[in-house]
Amino acid sequence: MTEATLRQQALADGIFKRRESTDSDNTTQSMASEDVSMKKDRGQSYGKTPDGAVFRVPTTREMVTSLLNPKEQKSFFDILTLAIMAIEIALLFILPLWIKRGLFIVIFSFWRLAYNAGLGVLLKYQSDSRGLVRLAKQYKLFDREANPKAYNWLKYQLSMKMGDDYDFTTAPIEYNTWLLYRQLVDLILMNDFTSYMCFAVAWFNTSPQSSFIFGDSFRWFGGLFLVGFNIWVKIDAQRVVKDFAWYWGDFFFLIEQSLTFDGVFEMAPHPMYSVGYFGYYGVSLMCASYTVLFISIAAHALQFAFLVLVETPHIEKTYNPPIIPKRQPSTPSQTSDVDCKRSEKHEDTGRFYTSYFRRDLMVFKNFDLCRSTDLVSLMVMIYAFITPILVPGKSGIVIALSQAFFWRIFHSYGLGTLLRLQSTEKFFTRHFVKWGGGVQEAFQNWKSIYNLSLCMTYITFFVACWKMYSLPEDWTYGTTLLRHTLGVAFISLHIWTSTSIHEVLGDFGWFYGDFFLDDHPSTLLYTGIYRFLNNPEKIMGHAAFWGMTLMANSWTIYALALFSQISNFLFLHYVEAPHMRMLYGNQIRKEAGLTKTLKSAAVSIPKNIPDKLQQEVSKLIREKAELKAAVKTTKNMERIFKEAIEKVERAVEETAGAVGEMMEAARPRLQEVLDETKALLETSRSRLIPNVANDIGTYDLTLYSVNIRNKSATKSSQANGPTYTFQLGQPVEVSWTAPEYHGARDWIGVYKVTANQSTHITNISSRGLWDWTNSVENKGGASIEDQLFPPDTPIKTEGVVVFKGSKLPWDIGTYEFRYHHDGKHNVMARSTVFDIIAPTPADIHNIGAVERSLLQLIQNTLGGNPDLMPVSSTDEFVGMGETESRHVVYAIELMYDVEFAWEVVLADNCISRLAKRIQHAKEALSPFADQTQKRLSLSHGMLAGCATSIVPSMTSETPVSCGL
């Protein structure tokens, strides 16, 4: 089943808070303007379409119940779904084993791809351009006058599954499109589940090999537990998210309702995509089949891909849109003595991070071969890795195990003692203060020591496992393949856990900054992975060690892993926990989300079990004789099941005529939809692989033009025509003309003149350096693509497009503009070539001139946006990201021949500091001859100063010394 798991997770982590505070407020204001109350009325909620229309959301029925309940009236979509399910089940019983095994792998793969790839493409299309709703409008599926047959048929089919509060005629097209889309979802999801179960039964291993006592019993118990847990997760998730989120309703419209995200959504991140698929592994255990296991892993991986590629971008765009920062206006009290103005909180945070964190080595991230600590760390790691491997026999094993134990003792107990002393009496800081240092020096050295120790614990443990590991001769023997599979899974879990921890804690928490730094705000927030676990490092943070242990399969390594786990637990209990209590006190919660959910489930699940079922279970437990009766009952159930299949087959045969008639009625419309989908795919393909339009020869290319119109640009004449020259980052205005019949999706891109071999086809990507011609607002406004190309938009025959900021190429060279036809890569016109050159550098000794040149550069980098760009050298940067920072450092290198990392621009955060940094860098990088000249100049200046002092001293009684 599906869900909107990220929507629920987002609420817990603060994304939905913005939805409630912004989107809901806007929705409420809109509804208030229309005199519509947003309060619930008898459990009803209100929805809002993208164009602002407000409607009462009708109640939907639960899909599985209505589909499988024989008393419920069945729509065409229900019959189609049941028929395909019946065919799959029939194939399971009819076909021989060797055929159905391969067949059901193909069938399940088809339905799984239909889910993750098919539904994913449709949802992405709907999310990006409201494509499904546009298709419904284009083919007038819900227009009675234009398409009465489709209208009446869809009205009957959709209304059949709805209640009295649903009116097909008055419901918005977004809601009706969503209902129609749900039918496809039900078809795919039900057959995805059915085909998986058939596949698992076909691959069921009737003679598994167990290498330990009670192996089969544990396997079945674990499998049934995982399946039961999976069922509970699905049921609880359905309780929380309801049908709206279950069927991705917010891809079509937004809904206003009170949502309480508890239960499974407090237990695990993305529960319907993570723990919600534990049933796969339960079935794999019971089937005792590696084929079932690996295909289940592949299917689970596809689900995560669906989450990352489809769900996450839509949720970020819908509920957590990027906040456009606003530049604070300058105040009259601003003086030249102020380096950079900022709010007090921002100032403290910025100064804190720029002072204590600068590209620190974190495992191997930010490694710098020219940094002494990094180089020494690398040499120690290589030595520890190579030495045991080069030493043969038992001596190498002893060395590997000894250094693994040593580094674990050093990391957990040595550094643990140091941190304990640092927490109680600032031991480490006092040492550096004693020798003239301070907090910053102490923390910098601690980060290097901690990172080296952390890396060495992993490297030495891996080397020990490698020395004890032997490549299996038979991967199918015993648990060999299972051990390696679980080992890789545990290592992957460890990597994900560490990444998630760093996302929440940042560099400050990763390096135990609160043991050293007092000027950091001490606020405890339970977000991300910490929402579910109080301390994920206790178990999940050690998963990689157990993964390597499983693959090594050595009792010595098991002992080493257990020692490491216990040591880590002691470190957390006696070092980290007391310091946390000292700093945060009552802010520390007692129960994590996982613990609270499991306790709640342990209480609620028994209460929800029907009394009759409890009595039957108790009777089975008390009376062993009932177990034998259960076996007979199972055989009777098989007979009843076969009879039910026969009845379903007869029902399908009897309704074949009716189904055929309905298919005949729907076939023309379905064919049109397929044709449209094919056309859309071809259009998408043409954006990647340019194709010449079949009728391109009918266009008069002389009616198209694209010209540069900047008055401030430097213009020169060459043999092949005029050439314009622009400094790097300088905006470029382009005027264009086209006939009235030109395409609504015409666009202009900028390319290097040597990039495309053909003058008629553009065969390389524009890399985002393009814009639509028929935009709603040519200068910085929303393009016609963002407005979904409404049919009533007037098609202009001329206009101006301004390329600036990230739309410009930030690389010196010779370029041209190309006018393209209707969303394709056919070139209708080309501009004159123009050069982009390096900006003119200011005198490095004139700090004011340097600041003015940087101000112009950064204003151009930010596209001249008045809300973002600084207006003086003391304004801090707003809206400056990695891309913009890379543009700035590239321009600085061209202007002043000084290379900076892009992080430096963000760290300085204002022009005055950046200008001083450039000036200091130029002085530091000056040739030695220049340094000698500077010293001579300085000496002459000192002598001259002394001379002027000596003259008046001749008439004075007080002698003057020059110190020469």
Side-chain angles (χ1 to χ4, degrees):
M1 292 296 180
T2 182
E3 54 123 19
T5 181
L6 193 57
R7 287 182 278 279
Q8 284 68 50
Q9 179 60 33
L11 175 64
D13 294 345
I15 295 175
F16 260 66
K17 292 180 181 179
R18 179 169 298 133
R19 174 189 175 186
E20 293 176 350
S21 62
T22 58
D23 181 72
S24 297
D25 291 343
N26 295 336
T27 303
T28 305
Q29 293 173 4
S30 174
M31 294 179 179
S33 65
E34 301 174 23
D35 298 327
V36 179
S37 175
M38 284 299 299
K39 296 181 179 179
K40 288 186 177 182
D41 182 14
R42 297 180 181 179
Q44 291 286 338
S45 57
Y46 287 88
K48 181 181 179 182
T49 63
D51 58 3
V54 178
F55 66 99
R56 179 180 291 181
V57 179
T59 304
T60 54
R61 298 181 183 179
E62 202 275 323
M63 178 266 294
V64 177
T65 302
S66 62
L67 183 67
L68 301 180
N69 189 352
K71 296 181 181 180
E72 292 280 348
Q73 188 178 7
K74 300 294 184 290
S75 67
F76 163 74
F77 304 104
D78 293 337
I79 295 174
L80 180 62
T81 302
L82 291 172
I84 297 177
M85 291 170 58
I87 292 172
E88 292 171 349
I89 296 173
L91 291 175
L92 177 65
F93 287 96
I94 294 173
L95 295 176
L97 182 63
W98 67 275
I99 293 180
K100 63 185 178 184
R101 280 189 167 183
L103 178 63
F104 276 109
I105 290 178
V106 175
I107 293 176
F108 173 63
S109 300
F110 168 79
W111 288 114
R112 174 51 46 172
L113 289 174
Y115 178 5
N116 295 131
L119 295 182
V121 169
L122 292 178
L123 286 175
K124 188 71 174 174
Y125 183 42
Q126 172 65 18
S127 174
D128 293 342
S129 61
R130 300 208 299 272
L132 298 181
V133 176
R134 286 202 296 124
L135 284 178
K137 291 180 179 179
Q138 180 177 350
Y139 289 104
K140 304 183 184 340
L141 296 180
F142 306 105
D143 191 335
R144 176 183 296 178
E145 297 180 358
N147 201 341
K149 290 184 178 180
Y151 177 88
N152 293 328
W153 187 77
L154 289 174
K155 178 180 180 181
Y156 175 75
Q157 298 296 331
L158 298 182
S159 300
M160 184 187 304
K161 304 181 69 174
M162 300 295 291
D164 297 335
D165 58 347
Y166 172 68
D167 186 354
F168 179 85
T169 305
T170 60
I173 188 171
E174 288 81 6
Y175 187 81
N176 285 336
T177 305
W178 177 61
L179 288 183
L180 183 59
Y181 173 76
R182 283 184 50 158
Q183 314 310 311
L184 178 62
V185 173
D186 290 342
L187 171 67
I188 292 176
L189 295 190
M190 289 302 297
N191 282 282
D192 176 70
F193 172 77
T194 304
S195 61
Y196 177 79
M197 296 307 299
C198 292
F199 153 73
V201 171
W203 282 90
F204 185 86
N205 188 357
T206 57
S207 57
Q209 298 179 356
S210 179
S211 60
F212 58 93
I213 302 175
F214 302 118
D216 291 338
S217 300
F218 282 115
R219 182 168 55 81
W220 276 90
F221 175 79
L224 290 173
F225 172 79
L226 290 176
V227 170
F229 176 76
N230 197 132
I231 294 173
W232 172 75
V233 169
K234 299 293 186 183
I235 294 175
D236 198 61
Q238 172 68 23
R239 173 189 64 82
V240 175
V241 304
K242 307 297 187 299
D243 277 2
F244 172 72
W246 190 274
Y247 287 96
W248 302 284
D250 58 0
F251 280 75
F252 298 83
F253 58 92
L254 294 179
I255 195 171
E256 188 69 21
Q257 62 181 8
S258 298
L259 299 176
T260 303
F261 296 96
D262 54 6
V264 295
F265 293 99
E266 288 186 321
M267 182 180 66
H270 318 306
M272 291 294 289
Y273 292 99
S274 53
V275 296
Y277 276 83
F278 276 12
Y280 273 175
Y281 307 106
V283 172
S284 301
L285 276 175
M286 291 186 289
C287 291
S289 170
Y290 284 114
T291 303
V292 177
L293 174 62
F294 289 126
I295 289 183
S296 298
I297 293 174
H300 199 179
L302 283 174
Q303 196 68 14
F304 279 117
F306 178 87
L307 167 68
V308 172
L309 299 177
V310 180
E311 282 265 17
T312 303
H314 177 76
I315 297 305
E316 289 294 329
K317 178 175 62 178
T318 304
Y319 299 116
N320 194 29
I323 299 176
I324 299 178
K326 298 289 186 179
R327 179 181 58 80
Q328 299 296 326
S330 302
T331 57
S333 60
Q334 182 181 2
T335 64
S336 59
D337 296 333
V338 180
D339 196 24
C340 284
K341 66 177 187 298
R342 60 178 75 183
S343 64
E344 181 179 354
K345 181 178 179 180
H346 194 178
E347 180 180 5
D348 294 339
T349 304
R351 186 187 302 115
F352 177 84
Y353 280 100
T354 55
S355 299
Y356 295 113
F357 299 98
R358 282 285 184 89
R359 296 188 69 253
D360 300 299
L361 183 62
M362 187 177 299
V363 187
F364 294 109
K365 181 183 178 183
N366 299 327
F367 179 81
D368 190 345
L369 193 61
C370 297
R371 193 160 47 188
S372 61
T373 54
D374 296 12
L375 182 59
V376 171
S377 297
L378 178 64
M379 294 175 64
V380 173
M381 294 176 197
I382 293 176
Y383 178 81
F385 183 84
I386 291 180
T387 302
I389 295 179
L390 294 181
V391 177
K394 293 184 178 180
S395 299
I397 296 176
V398 171
I399 294 175
L401 293 174
S402 299
Q403 66 178 11
F405 274 104
F406 168 78
W407 282 106
R408 171 50 61 183
I409 292 172
F410 177 82
H411 187 72
S412 297
Y413 299 99
L415 296 188
T417 303
L418 191 152
L419 280 180
R420 179 68 176 171
L421 294 174
Q422 175 68 16
S423 174
T424 55
E425 55 188 65
K426 294 292 183 71
F427 168 80
F428 202 68
T429 303
R430 288 178 184 272
H431 171 80
F432 285 91
V433 171
K434 175 182 177 180
W435 298 100
V439 176
Q440 184 171 357
E441 187 178 357
F443 188 51
Q444 196 67 32
N445 283 274
W446 157 257
K447 287 186 292 184
S448 299
I449 296 172
Y450 174 76
N451 189 75
L452 174 62
S453 176
L454 181 66
C455 291
M456 291 303 294
T457 57
Y458 286 97
I459 291 174
T460 55
F461 191 93
F462 171 77
V463 172
C465 292
W466 182 263
K467 294 293 291 185
M468 303 297 293
Y469 178 79
S470 58
L471 192 67
E473 296 180 359
D474 184 4
W475 286 87
T476 62
Y477 175 76
T479 59
T480 302
L481 187 56
L482 179 62
R483 285 189 293 102
H484 285 77
T485 303
L486 291 177
V488 173
F490 284 172
I491 293 173
S492 301
L493 176 64
H494 184 109
I495 295 173
W496 173 82
T497 301
S498 299
T499 304
S500 301
I501 289 173
H502 183 262
E503 286 178 355
V504 177
L505 300 181
D507 292 356
F508 175 79
W510 183 267
F511 287 111
Y512 297 92
D514 50 8
F515 282 78
F516 296 86
L517 311 177
D518 298 328
D519 51 350
H520 187 271
S522 57
T523 302
L524 199 59
L525 300 176
Y526 289 98
T527 60
I529 193 173
Y530 287 90
R531 179 171 179 255
F532 315 102
L533 300 169
N534 281 348
N535 198 333
E537 288 184 88
K538 281 187 177 180
I539 299 177
M540 296 169 60
H542 231 66
F545 293 95
W546 290 109
M548 289 185 283
T549 300
L550 283 173
M551 290 188 283
N553 196 29
S554 167
W555 285 109
T556 305
I557 301 300
Y558 276 108
L560 178 59
L562 182 60
F563 174 72
S564 300
Q565 182 79 69
I566 295 173
S567 300
N568 187 60
F569 176 80
L570 294 175
F571 172 85
L572 296 175
H573 183 74
Y574 289 104
V575 178
E576 187 175 284
H579 187 76
M580 292 279 290
R581 288 193 296 268
M582 179 180 67
L583 284 185
Y584 303 105
N586 296 330
Q587 295 184 42
I588 301 176
R589 68 182 181 187
K590 296 181 179 180
E591 286 187 350
L594 176 61
T595 306
K596 184 171 66 173
T597 302
L598 293 179
K599 286 184 177 180
S600 176
V603 175
S604 61
I605 289 178
K607 293 181 179 179
N608 294 330
I609 297 177
D611 295 337
K612 185 176 180 180
L613 179 59
Q614 294 184 34
Q615 295 173 3
E616 292 296 328
V617 172
S618 300
K619 186 184 298 182
L620 288 174
I621 295 175
R622 289 194 305 266
E623 302 177 8
K624 295 182 179 180
E626 293 292 334
L627 294 176
K628 297 181 179 180
V631 175
K632 297 181 179 180
T633 303
T634 302
K635 295 181 179 179
N636 294 333
M637 289 300 296
E638 291 179 359
R639 177 178 55 80
I640 295 172
F641 186 68
K642 291 180 180 179
E643 293 178 356
I645 292 176
E646 294 176 357
K647 292 180 179 180
V648 171
E649 291 176 349
R650 287 197 298 268
V652 171
E653 292 176 358
E654 294 173 357
T655 58
V659 173
E661 293 177 0
M662 286 185 287
M663 286 297 295
E664 288 296 330
R667 182 174 289 111
R669 186 56 51 203
L670 293 175
Q671 185 62 41
E672 291 181 3
V673 173
L674 290 174
D675 293 341
E676 174 64 17
T677 304
K678 181 179 179 181
L680 288 171
L681 292 175
E682 290 178 351
T683 302
S684 301
R685 181 176 181 272
S686 67
R687 295 300 305 272
L688 299 175
I689 305 175
N691 294 314
V692 180
N694 294 331
D695 59 345
I696 197 68
T698 63
Y699 288 84
D700 186 358
L701 299 185
T702 60
L703 300 178
Y704 291 85
S705 68
V706 54
N707 299 301
I708 299 173
R709 50 172 279 173
N710 287 61
K711 297 180 179 179
S712 59
T714 304
K715 186 177 180 180
S716 60
S717 299
Q718 295 184 359
N720 55 353
T723 301
Y724 292 88
T725 302
F726 297 89
Q727 291 192 0
L728 188 71
Q730 183 179 351
V732 182
E733 294 184 7
V734 178
S735 63
W736 60 271
T737 59
E740 295 182 355
Y741 54 81
H742 78 89
R745 295 163 56 92
D746 287 3
W747 59 284
I748 298 175
V750 56
Y751 304 88
K752 278 192 173 182
V753 293
T754 57
N756 293 280
Q757 298 179 354
S758 173
T759 59
H760 304 290
I761 291 293
T762 297
N763 49 24
I764 68 166
S765 171
S766 61
R767 297 176 291 110
L769 308 181
W770 64 277
D771 204 352
W772 302 107
T773 58
N774 199 41
S775 19
V776 175
E777 294 180 18
N778 282 327
K779 297 183 179 181
S783 68
I784 192 67
E785 177 75 357
D786 295 330
Q787 299 296 325
L788 308 178
F789 294 97
D792 55 347
T793 301
I795 303 299
K796 296 180 293 185
T797 58
E798 60 181 9
V800 176
V801 178
V802 180
F803 286 80
K804 56 185 178 181
S806 59
K807 296 284 186 181
L808 284 171
W810 283 80
D811 188 15
I812 58 175
T814 305
Y815 294 85
E816 66 177 354
F817 288 99
R818 291 186 165 211
Y819 187 109
H820 299 90
H821 172 68
D822 203 23
K824 297 181 174 60
H825 287 69
N826 311 116
V827 179
M828 314 301 286
R830 293 186 302 145
S831 71
T832 57
V833 297
F834 65 97
D835 293 325
I836 293 181
I837 61 174
T840 303
D843 182 7
I844 193 63
H845 302 294
N846 187 342
I847 189 67
V850 174
E851 289 180 350
R852 286 191 295 272
S853 65
L854 289 178
L855 177 62
Q856 183 62 52
L857 170 64
I858 291 176
Q859 287 178 343
N860 288 338
T861 304
L862 297 174
N865 189 334
D867 293 329
L868 301 180
M869 68 180 188
V871 295
S872 69
S873 61
T874 58
D875 284 340
E876 65 176 9
F877 302 153
V878 179
M880 182 77 72
E882 178 180 348
T883 302
E884 292 78 14
S885 299
R886 289 184 183 277
H887 293 165
V888 172
V889 297
Y890 173 71
I892 291 175
E893 184 176 5
L894 293 177
M895 296 165 66
Y896 299 105
D897 195 26
V898 176
E899 182 181 2
F900 291 128
W902 65 267
E903 293 89 347
V904 171
V905 176
L906 296 182
D908 285 343
N909 208 31
C910 79
I911 292 172
S912 61
R913 275 200 295 265
L914 186 59
K916 292 177 183 177
R917 182 181 297 278
I918 296 173
Q919 197 175 53
H920 295 160
K922 287 294 293 183
E923 293 177 359
L925 297 175
S926 297
F928 289 105
D930 292 350
Q931 297 290 345
T932 304
Q933 186 66 32
K934 287 181 181 180
R935 286 194 293 270
L936 291 175
S937 300
L938 181 61
S939 300
H940 288 310
M942 294 176 63
L943 289 173
C946 288
T948 57
S949 300
I950 291 173
V951 172
S953 68
M954 292 180 179
T955 58
S956 173
E957 297 181 359
T958 304
V960 178
S961 174
C962 291
L964 296 177

